[in-house]
Amino acid sequence: MTMIRCFFPSAILFGMTAISNAQWSYANLHPAGAGESYIEGIHSGLQVGYAAVGGGFRCSLWSGTAASWIDISPAGAQAIGTYANLGQQVGYAGIGGTTHAGFWSGSSASWVDLHPAGSTQSLAYGLGGGKQSGFAVIGGVTHAGLWSGTAGSFVDLHPTGASESKAFGLDGAQQSGSARAGGILRACLWTGTAASIIDLSPAGATESEIEAASGGQQVGRAVVGGVTRASLWTGSAASWVDLHPAGSSESYVYGVEGAQQAGRAKISGAFHAGIWSGTAASWVDLHNILPTNFNESNAQGIWHDAQGVTFVVGYAYNTTTTRNEAIMWVRQNPNDFALSLNKSSVAGQNSVLGTITMVETKPANTVFTTYDNSSLVTTPPNVTVLAGQLSRNFQITVTAITSTVNTTIYATRGILTRTQPLTLIPLVPTALSFTPNPVTGGMPTSCRIVMNGVAGPGGRLVATFDNSAYAVTPNSVTVPAGASSVTFPIMTVVVTSIKYVTVTARVSAVDKTGTFRINP
């Protein structure tokens, strides 16, 4: 999650596109008016980096789109952001002609200067748990260091006998980076003191360095056999894993989170952004997602949200605009899915059709758990999408109710949960009609009651009555199971003048009336 290292001896120099491949897509986050732009880190939905604006580099913060770009550089300073973690950003800024390490909390005004007293230059690259890691130039020598939120908290991690040292990654109580000893740059790990250093340089390496760390993993590079190789460690030199992709001439890792690593590999003479999942063979080339007018790309950081969506950030060179542009690659969780219902509301004991639709097919059956948040709805305990298929329907049955209830249908698999609201409506009469109408006294007429839904098992009892002595209406009728109406006869009596009869149907305390005429 850190940047390609650029160090300056005194002062700092300074919308999702519909293209996808196996569920990958990319967003160009280059801000309007910027000469060039770079993203160096990502966390909690925020991307941090820098952009060339107004003749200098500005520390930049995005929230997923080019339009979301904001300048968080300290007032009057040029700045570069290198890493983000839980709403904070770390990096460095040019203050009074000197590069100062510092961190932000999402705004220019939140800048905290970490520059240690007596140093001539300082830069910060790691952030987490209230601490920051980086380095400072002290007495002309670069010293790895650790801060706890203030300039005065600087802890010098520079090991005895080293000619230079730098800390980049910060992972809990551990700091990682490199130290040059015996003329060789060696990947190393500290736990808060200079004396705690552990040499992670793999056997046979002529140079190595840690660029980032997370979850007990350290990533960076090692030169072995004359080739710069993307590298992964888990706390010791012996744990080194060579991530160098087949067919590439050099490779680097700059970001790590969970089981994945992000970086770049040189393929056919050009750098390609990509990610790994712990082995060289797992390399995924993300450069191929970009349009052909991008000829090189670099991945600097990686983050996964709570739904398992993968975000990879970096930049790519656009030959059309002749500049580097901030890029974010996005891959939906391959286990992601959608839940839909064929109705948003249901009356009586009608059934509802639910559908689970997956992002991509799987070679084996995929099982989902379904349920609701009330005792009024029944879903199957499990819904299985068969191997090679994208979706599966399932039936939801509803209990009869007497008042409107809002409920929610859930489908879950692993960390992913999808919901759909469902409104349950009582089964009530909506219309009464009579045939014939008018009817001659002494003859029957048929009354049809129409409901707002179908009756469930056992049917639905409807209370019926009229307001006249000239008709004989039953006290109740039953809407058959699976039917939405019932028809029954009403006998009339002989009359000497025109009479009007009003019939009432009552279900769930809801009345519906209809009127017919009796002729002499």
Side-chain angles (χ1 to χ4, degrees):
M1 292 191 193
T2 108
M3 65 181 296
I4 292 178
R5 309 301 176 200
C6 298
F7 307 117
F8 309 105
S10 56
I12 201 166
L13 298 181
F14 343 103
M16 196 65 64
T17 304
I19 296 179
S20 63
N21 179 10
Q23 305 307 320
W24 280 99
S25 59
Y26 82 95
N28 190 326
L29 270 58
H30 184 76
E36 54 186 318
S37 59
Y38 306 80
I39 303 178
E40 303 294 344
I42 179 173
H43 200 279
S44 304
L46 297 174
Q47 303 83 43
V48 65
Y50 58 103
V53 178
F57 283 126
R58 315 300 300 173
C59 184
S60 302
L61 191 64
W62 293 263
S63 53
T65 65
S68 69
W69 176 85
I70 60 172
D71 181 356
I72 62 171
S73 301
Q78 298 184 54
I80 285 178
T82 58
Y83 184 78
N85 191 1
L86 296 174
Q88 290 191 322
Q89 304 80 42
V90 72
Y92 46 95
I95 307 289
T98 302
T99 303
H100 284 216
F103 69 95
W104 299 261
S105 297
S107 68
S108 174
S110 67
W111 160 262
V112 176
D113 194 332
L114 296 178
H115 191 65
S119 64
T120 57
Q121 183 186 32
S122 59
L123 295 88
Y125 286 93
L127 175 69
K131 296 184 181 296
Q132 304 81 32
S133 60
F135 57 87
V137 177
I138 301 171
V141 177
T142 301
H143 286 218
L146 177 67
W147 294 267
S148 299
T150 65
S153 67
F154 182 77
V155 175
D156 193 337
L157 299 178
H158 189 67
T160 301
S163 58
E164 66 169 314
S165 60
K166 299 168 185 173
F168 296 122
L170 180 58
D171 180 23
Q174 293 184 326
Q175 306 82 47
S176 51
S178 62
R180 191 176 297 276
I184 298 176
L185 188 67
R186 298 175 178 274
C188 58
L189 192 65
W190 295 268
T191 52
T193 66
S196 67
I197 190 167
I198 299 173
D199 187 349
L200 299 187
S201 185
T206 57
E207 184 174 291
S208 59
E209 186 168 45
I210 305 296
E211 302 283 358
S214 176
Q217 300 174 91
Q218 304 84 40
V219 295
R221 62 186 174 89
V223 179
V224 178
V227 177
T228 301
R229 300 173 179 273
S231 299
L232 171 67
W233 293 263
T234 51
S236 67
S239 69
W240 178 70
V241 176
D242 184 353
L243 297 180
H244 189 65
S248 65
S249 57
E250 56 183 295
S251 56
Y252 306 77
V253 189
Y254 297 105
V256 57
E257 190 190 63
Q260 293 185 305
Q261 305 81 38
R264 61 175 182 164
K266 183 171 280 189
I267 299 171
S268 300
F271 279 113
H272 286 204
I275 64 168
W276 296 264
S277 298
T279 66
S282 66
W283 162 261
V284 176
D285 191 333
L286 297 182
H287 185 76
N288 296 328
I289 306 303
L290 302 175
T292 56
N293 57 302
F294 288 92
N295 67 353
E296 281 201 319
S297 58
N298 300 272
Q300 301 294 101
I302 186 169
W303 176 68
H304 306 84
D305 71 9
Q307 298 300 322
V309 179
T310 302
F311 298 85
V312 177
V313 295
Y315 55 92
Y317 187 79
N318 188 335
T319 59
T320 301
T321 59
T322 63
R323 66 191 179 198
N324 281 311
E325 296 175 351
I327 297 292
M328 181 167 68
W329 292 266
V330 181
R331 187 180 194 265
Q332 296 301 314
N333 187 334
N335 295 319
D336 200 5
F337 64 96
L339 170 66
S340 61
L341 306 179
N342 70 332
K343 301 173 185 176
S344 60
S345 62
V346 58
Q349 293 176 273
N350 291 5
S351 63
V352 178
L353 185 68
T355 303
I356 290 175
T357 304
M358 297 171 54
V359 166
E360 62 185 39
T361 60
K362 300 292 182 183
N365 292 351
T366 305
V367 180
F368 298 84
T369 300
T370 60
Y371 55 98
D372 78 293
N373 65 346
S374 76
S375 59
L376 303 173
V377 173
T378 302
T379 66
N382 294 304
V383 175
T384 301
V385 178
L386 299 178
Q389 296 186 6
L390 279 176
S391 65
R392 182 69 178 268
N393 297 330
F394 62 98
Q395 288 292 123
I396 302 167
T397 57
V398 179
T399 301
I401 56 172
T402 58
S403 61
T404 298
V405 176
N406 293 316
T407 187
T408 303
I409 307 300
Y410 294 81
T412 298
R413 183 172 187 268
I415 65 171
L416 301 175
T417 298
R418 299 289 177 259
T419 64
Q420 283 291 335
L422 181 63
T423 300
L424 311 183
I425 302 171
L427 190 67
V428 296
T430 58
L432 276 73
S433 61
F434 304 89
T435 305
N437 186 11
V439 61
T440 300
M443 301 297 292
T445 184
S446 294
C447 176
R448 182 171 183 260
I449 301 174
V450 178
M451 311 296 286
N452 62 341
V454 300
R460 183 63 165 170
L461 189 68
V462 181
T464 55
F465 52 92
D466 65 73
N467 68 340
S468 169
Y470 305 104
V472 181
T473 301
N475 293 330
S476 65
V477 294
T478 299
V479 179
S484 60
S485 66
V486 62
T487 301
F488 59 94
I490 296 176
M491 191 63 194
T492 66
V493 301
V494 176
V495 296
T496 57
S497 62
I498 293 174
K499 304 296 179 181
Y500 291 91
V501 179
T502 297
V503 178
T504 299
R506 178 175 294 166
V507 180
S508 301
V510 175
D511 290 352
K512 188 65 179 179
T513 61
T515 300
F516 69 92
R517 190 178 80 188
I518 303 175
N519 288 342

PDB file of all heavy atoms in Angstrom, residues 346-365:
ATOM      1  N   VAL A 346     -47.571  -8.512  -0.533  1.00  0.00           N
ATOM      2  CA  VAL A 346     -48.343  -9.716  -0.779  1.00  0.00           C
ATOM      3  C   VAL A 346     -49.532  -9.726   0.160  1.00  0.00           C
ATOM      4  O   VAL A 346     -49.420  -9.379   1.344  1.00  0.00           O
ATOM      5  CB  VAL A 346     -47.476 -10.979  -0.608  1.00  0.00           C
ATOM      6  CG1 VAL A 346     -46.867 -11.039   0.775  1.00  0.00           C
ATOM      7  CG2 VAL A 346     -48.280 -12.229  -0.902  1.00  0.00           C
ATOM      8  N   ALA A 347     -50.692 -10.085  -0.378  1.00  0.00           N
ATOM      9  CA  ALA A 347     -51.915 -10.106   0.412  1.00  0.00           C
ATOM     10  C   ALA A 347     -52.265 -11.531   0.810  1.00  0.00           C
ATOM     11  O   ALA A 347     -52.070 -12.479   0.032  1.00  0.00           O
ATOM     12  CB  ALA A 347     -53.064  -9.476  -0.378  1.00  0.00           C
ATOM     13  N   GLY A 348     -52.832 -11.667   2.018  1.00  0.00           N
ATOM     14  CA  GLY A 348     -53.307 -12.964   2.466  1.00  0.00           C
ATOM     15  C   GLY A 348     -52.200 -13.981   2.550  1.00  0.00           C
ATOM     16  O   GLY A 348     -51.100 -13.699   2.999  1.00  0.00           O
ATOM     17  N   GLN A 349     -52.483 -15.173   2.075  1.00  0.00           N
ATOM     18  CA  GLN A 349     -51.499 -16.246   2.132  1.00  0.00           C
ATOM     19  C   GLN A 349     -50.907 -16.551   0.757  1.00  0.00           C
ATOM     20  O   GLN A 349     -50.526 -17.677   0.465  1.00  0.00           O
ATOM     21  CB  GLN A 349     -52.149 -17.496   2.740  1.00  0.00           C
ATOM     22  CG  GLN A 349     -52.510 -17.306   4.204  1.00  0.00           C
ATOM     23  CD  GLN A 349     -53.229 -18.502   4.775  1.00  0.00           C
ATOM     24  OE1 GLN A 349     -54.444 -18.604   4.684  1.00  0.00           O
ATOM     25  NE2 GLN A 349     -52.478 -19.419   5.352  1.00  0.00           N
ATOM     26  N   ASN A 350     -50.855 -15.528  -0.045  1.00  0.00           N
ATOM     27  CA  ASN A 350     -50.223 -15.687  -1.357  1.00  0.00           C
ATOM     28  C   ASN A 350     -48.765 -16.087  -1.199  1.00  0.00           C
ATOM     29  O   ASN A 350     -48.121 -15.765  -0.197  1.00  0.00           O
ATOM     30  CB  ASN A 350     -50.286 -14.378  -2.147  1.00  0.00           C
ATOM     31  CG  ASN A 350     -51.689 -14.030  -2.568  1.00  0.00           C
ATOM     32  OD1 ASN A 350     -52.640 -14.708  -2.196  1.00  0.00           O
ATOM     33  ND2 ASN A 350     -51.828 -12.967  -3.329  1.00  0.00           N
ATOM     34  N   SER A 351     -48.202 -16.730  -2.180  1.00  0.00           N
ATOM     35  CA  SER A 351     -46.782 -17.056  -2.167  1.00  0.00           C
ATOM     36  C   SER A 351     -46.014 -15.977  -2.917  1.00  0.00           C
ATOM     37  O   SER A 351     -46.573 -15.240  -3.725  1.00  0.00           O
ATOM     38  CB  SER A 351     -46.527 -18.421  -2.808  1.00  0.00           C
ATOM     39  OG  SER A 351     -46.906 -18.408  -4.164  1.00  0.00           O
ATOM     40  N   VAL A 352     -44.732 -15.883  -2.604  1.00  0.00           N
ATOM     41  CA  VAL A 352     -43.833 -14.932  -3.241  1.00  0.00           C
ATOM     42  C   VAL A 352     -42.686 -15.729  -3.838  1.00  0.00           C
ATOM     43  O   VAL A 352     -42.199 -16.688  -3.230  1.00  0.00           O
ATOM     44  CB  VAL A 352     -43.308 -13.900  -2.229  1.00  0.00           C
ATOM     45  CG1 VAL A 352     -42.337 -12.939  -2.887  1.00  0.00           C
ATOM     46  CG2 VAL A 352     -44.465 -13.151  -1.588  1.00  0.00           C
ATOM     47  N   LEU A 353     -42.238 -15.322  -5.017  1.00  0.00           N
ATOM     48  CA  LEU A 353     -41.112 -15.996  -5.667  1.00  0.00           C
ATOM     49  C   LEU A 353     -39.841 -15.203  -5.395  1.00  0.00           C
ATOM     50  O   LEU A 353     -39.734 -14.028  -5.752  1.00  0.00           O
ATOM     51  CB  LEU A 353     -41.348 -16.102  -7.173  1.00  0.00           C
ATOM     52  CG  LEU A 353     -40.281 -16.893  -7.949  1.00  0.00           C
ATOM     53  CD1 LEU A 353     -40.351 -18.371  -7.577  1.00  0.00           C
ATOM     54  CD2 LEU A 353     -40.489 -16.706  -9.450  1.00  0.00           C
ATOM     55  N   GLY A 354     -38.896 -15.845  -4.736  1.00  0.00           N
ATOM     56  CA  GLY A 354     -37.587 -15.241  -4.525  1.00  0.00           C
ATOM     57  C   GLY A 354     -36.591 -15.802  -5.520  1.00  0.00           C
ATOM     58  O   GLY A 354     -36.720 -16.938  -5.984  1.00  0.00           O
ATOM     59  N   THR A 355     -35.582 -14.997  -5.860  1.00  0.00           N
ATOM     60  CA  THR A 355     -34.544 -15.432  -6.801  1.00  0.00           C
ATOM     61  C   THR A 355     -33.180 -15.008  -6.288  1.00  0.00           C
ATOM     62  O   THR A 355     -32.978 -13.851  -5.923  1.00  0.00           O
ATOM     63  CB  THR A 355     -34.756 -14.827  -8.202  1.00  0.00           C
ATOM     64  OG1 THR A 355     -36.049 -15.184  -8.683  1.00  0.00           O
ATOM     65  CG2 THR A 355     -33.697 -15.341  -9.175  1.00  0.00           C
ATOM     66  N   ILE A 356     -32.258 -15.950  -6.233  1.00  0.00           N
ATOM     67  CA  ILE A 356     -30.855 -15.654  -5.942  1.00  0.00           C
ATOM     68  C   ILE A 356     -30.089 -15.727  -7.254  1.00  0.00           C
ATOM     69  O   ILE A 356     -30.164 -16.724  -7.970  1.00  0.00           O
ATOM     70  CB  ILE A 356     -30.281 -16.653  -4.924  1.00  0.00           C
ATOM     71  CG1 ILE A 356     -30.913 -16.413  -3.545  1.00  0.00           C
ATOM     72  CG2 ILE A 356     -28.752 -16.535  -4.853  1.00  0.00           C
ATOM     73  CD1 ILE A 356     -30.500 -17.421  -2.504  1.00  0.00           C
ATOM     74  N   THR A 357     -29.355 -14.642  -7.572  1.00  0.00           N
ATOM     75  CA  THR A 357     -28.573 -14.574  -8.807  1.00  0.00           C
ATOM     76  C   THR A 357     -27.121 -14.291  -8.457  1.00  0.00           C
ATOM     77  O   THR A 357     -26.819 -13.290  -7.806  1.00  0.00           O
ATOM     78  CB  THR A 357     -29.103 -13.475  -9.743  1.00  0.00           C
ATOM     79  OG1 THR A 357     -30.493 -13.704 -10.010  1.00  0.00           O
ATOM     80  CG2 THR A 357     -28.332 -13.472 -11.054  1.00  0.00           C
ATOM     81  N   MET A 358     -26.229 -15.146  -8.873  1.00  0.00           N
ATOM     82  CA  MET A 358     -24.808 -15.017  -8.556  1.00  0.00           C
ATOM     83  C   MET A 358     -24.087 -14.161  -9.592  1.00  0.00           C
ATOM     84  O   MET A 358     -24.543 -14.002 -10.723  1.00  0.00           O
ATOM     85  CB  MET A 358     -24.172 -16.402  -8.472  1.00  0.00           C
ATOM     86  CG  MET A 358     -24.754 -17.264  -7.349  1.00  0.00           C
ATOM     87  SD  MET A 358     -24.193 -18.984  -7.413  1.00  0.00           S
ATOM     88  CE  MET A 358     -22.419 -18.778  -7.430  1.00  0.00           C
ATOM     89  N   VAL A 359     -22.936 -13.610  -9.173  1.00  0.00           N
ATOM     90  CA  VAL A 359     -22.118 -12.808 -10.078  1.00  0.00           C
ATOM     91  C   VAL A 359     -21.504 -13.673 -11.172  1.00  0.00           C
ATOM     92  O   VAL A 359     -21.408 -13.272 -12.328  1.00  0.00           O
ATOM     93  CB  VAL A 359     -21.020 -12.071  -9.291  1.00  0.00           C
ATOM     94  CG1 VAL A 359     -19.951 -11.518 -10.213  1.00  0.00           C
ATOM     95  CG2 VAL A 359     -21.628 -10.936  -8.482  1.00  0.00           C
ATOM     96  N   GLU A 360     -21.095 -14.887 -10.798  1.00  0.00           N
ATOM     97  CA  GLU A 360     -20.512 -15.791 -11.787  1.00  0.00           C
ATOM     98  C   GLU A 360     -20.817 -17.234 -11.405  1.00  0.00           C
ATOM     99  O   GLU A 360     -21.104 -17.537 -10.247  1.00  0.00           O
ATOM    100  CB  GLU A 360     -19.007 -15.572 -11.917  1.00  0.00           C
ATOM    101  CG  GLU A 360     -18.226 -15.834 -10.641  1.00  0.00           C
ATOM    102  CD  GLU A 360     -16.755 -15.492 -10.785  1.00  0.00           C
ATOM    103  OE1 GLU A 360     -16.445 -14.482 -11.429  1.00  0.00           O
ATOM    104  OE2 GLU A 360     -15.913 -16.247 -10.263  1.00  0.00           O
ATOM    105  N   THR A 361     -20.773 -18.099 -12.381  1.00  0.00           N
ATOM    106  CA  THR A 361     -21.066 -19.508 -12.130  1.00  0.00           C
ATOM    107  C   THR A 361     -19.923 -20.159 -11.348  1.00  0.00           C
ATOM    108  O   THR A 361     -18.789 -19.681 -11.367  1.00  0.00           O
ATOM    109  CB  THR A 361     -21.269 -20.274 -13.445  1.00  0.00           C
ATOM    110  OG1 THR A 361     -20.065 -20.186 -14.220  1.00  0.00           O
ATOM    111  CG2 THR A 361     -22.435 -19.701 -14.235  1.00  0.00           C
ATOM    112  N   LYS A 362     -20.253 -21.247 -10.664  1.00  0.00           N
ATOM    113  CA  LYS A 362     -19.270 -21.991  -9.891  1.00  0.00           C
ATOM    114  C   LYS A 362     -19.221 -23.440 -10.379  1.00  0.00           C
ATOM    115  O   LYS A 362     -20.228 -23.977 -10.859  1.00  0.00           O
ATOM    116  CB  LYS A 362     -19.642 -21.990  -8.414  1.00  0.00           C
ATOM    117  CG  LYS A 362     -19.731 -20.609  -7.789  1.00  0.00           C
ATOM    118  CD  LYS A 362     -18.369 -19.963  -7.706  1.00  0.00           C
ATOM    119  CE  LYS A 362     -18.468 -18.608  -7.031  1.00  0.00           C
ATOM    120  NZ  LYS A 362     -17.163 -17.935  -6.992  1.00  0.00           N
ATOM    121  N   PRO A 363     -18.063 -24.080 -10.248  1.00  0.00           N
ATOM    122  CA  PRO A 363     -17.958 -25.479 -10.687  1.00  0.00           C
ATOM    123  C   PRO A 363     -18.661 -26.463  -9.755  1.00  0.00           C
ATOM    124  O   PRO A 363     -18.847 -27.621 -10.112  1.00  0.00           O
ATOM    125  CB  PRO A 363     -16.447 -25.724 -10.707  1.00  0.00           C
ATOM    126  CG  PRO A 363     -15.895 -24.743  -9.736  1.00  0.00           C
ATOM    127  CD  PRO A 363     -16.772 -23.528  -9.832  1.00  0.00           C
ATOM    128  N   ALA A 364     -19.039 -26.010  -8.569  1.00  0.00           N
ATOM    129  CA  ALA A 364     -19.747 -26.875  -7.624  1.00  0.00           C
ATOM    130  C   ALA A 364     -21.019 -26.169  -7.159  1.00  0.00           C
ATOM    131  O   ALA A 364     -21.174 -24.958  -7.340  1.00  0.00           O
ATOM    132  CB  ALA A 364     -18.862 -27.197  -6.427  1.00  0.00           C
ATOM    133  N   ASN A 365     -21.925 -26.914  -6.571  1.00  0.00           N
ATOM    134  CA  ASN A 365     -23.155 -26.324  -6.041  1.00  0.00           C
ATOM    135  C   ASN A 365     -22.827 -25.265  -4.989  1.00  0.00           C
ATOM    136  O   ASN A 365     -21.892 -25.425  -4.207  1.00  0.00           O
ATOM    137  CB  ASN A 365     -24.045 -27.395  -5.406  1.00  0.00           C
ATOM    138  CG  ASN A 365     -24.612 -28.359  -6.428  1.00  0.00           C
ATOM    139  OD1 ASN A 365     -24.489 -28.154  -7.632  1.00  0.00           O
ATOM    140  ND2 ASN A 365     -25.239 -29.416  -5.954  1.00  0.00           N
TER     141      ASN A 365
END
